[in-house]
Amino acid sequence: MMTPEQFLAAQKSYAQAAFTFGATAFSGAEKLAELNLQVAKTSLTEAAETTAALLSVKDAQELIALQTGLLQPSGEKLAAYGRHVADIGLNTSAELGKLVEAQLGDVKSKFDGLVDNLAKNAPAGTENVVALAKSTLAAANNAFESAQKAAKQVAEVAESNFQTLNATTTKTTKTAKRAA
């Protein structure tokens, strides 16, 4: 059984983990908000510059040149924004994953200890129940490890897809620049 001191220590640990998790999630949201504010500020400045440039156009050729010049950086900016958003998401997700993994490992360890303690103190004749509990615990641990591996593989695939998308976007942008 857990002593009151152990229970209190566990509660403090869980509360600290919850606050750390919340702070990490908030930090990711804050980075995303900062990025969006910067994009809005830059877009407003560029809109003013574009409007001034449009108002100073004197002929159709100048208008076409201005439009061409405006479209090319838009793709680059959109790609850069997407990279920043994905980077913030991937980094925040990785940090949160590490926190969750650490907490689940701690809970698993405590639960393993509880089952071992119950097995040691089990009355005579309950060997089958203890064996079943240990077998169930082993199956749960295997499932947990499989889920962890699958989550890591999903994260790796997402990162790989992001890198591929990033490379393709960069290549397309360079090709568009050369064509212009």
Side-chain angles (χ1 to χ4, degrees):
M1 276 284 151
M2 247 185 168
T3 66
E5 292 81 19
Q6 290 172 325
F7 181 76
L8 184 60
Q11 291 305 311
K12 284 181 183 179
S13 172
Y14 297 144
Q16 182 60 42
F19 287 124
T20 302
F21 189 88
T24 302
F26 188 79
S27 175
E30 185 178 38
K31 288 175 186 173
L32 189 58
E34 287 173 6
L35 174 65
N36 287 330
L37 285 173
Q38 184 60 42
V39 167
K41 183 178 177 182
T42 302
S43 295
L44 186 60
T45 302
E46 289 173 355
E49 292 169 357
T50 301
T51 301
L54 283 171
L55 292 174
S56 68
V57 169
K58 294 182 178 55
D59 59 26
Q61 275 188 314
E62 196 176 333
L63 178 63
I64 291 171
L66 180 63
Q67 286 177 332
T68 303
L70 292 174
L71 291 177
Q72 186 177 354
S74 296
E76 294 171 8
K77 290 174 187 172
L78 184 60
Y81 175 76
R83 285 190 299 269
H84 280 91
V85 169
D87 188 45
I88 290 169
L90 288 171
N91 288 336
T92 301
S93 177
E95 288 178 41
L96 293 174
K98 288 176 188 174
L99 291 171
V100 167
E101 191 174 320
Q103 278 304 113
L104 289 176
D106 184 47
V107 168
K108 178 186 162 299
S109 172
K110 288 178 181 174
F111 190 72
D112 288 350
L114 176 66
V115 169
D116 286 342
N117 190 26
L118 288 174
K120 289 177 189 173
N121 297 320
T126 60
E127 292 82 16
N128 289 339
V129 174
V130 170
L132 178 62
K134 285 186 174 186
S135 173
T136 302
L137 180 61
N141 286 339
N142 287 337
F144 174 72
E145 289 171 10
S146 294
Q148 278 184 315
K149 287 177 186 175
K152 285 180 183 179
Q153 287 175 342
V154 167
E156 288 170 2
V157 167
E159 176 104 24
S160 174
N161 287 343
F162 171 70
Q163 296 299 333
T164 301
L165 177 64
N166 188 20
T168 302
T169 304
T170 302
K171 191 178 197 180
T172 302
T173 302
K174 286 179 182 177
T175 303
K177 275 184 179 180
R178 281 188 231 128

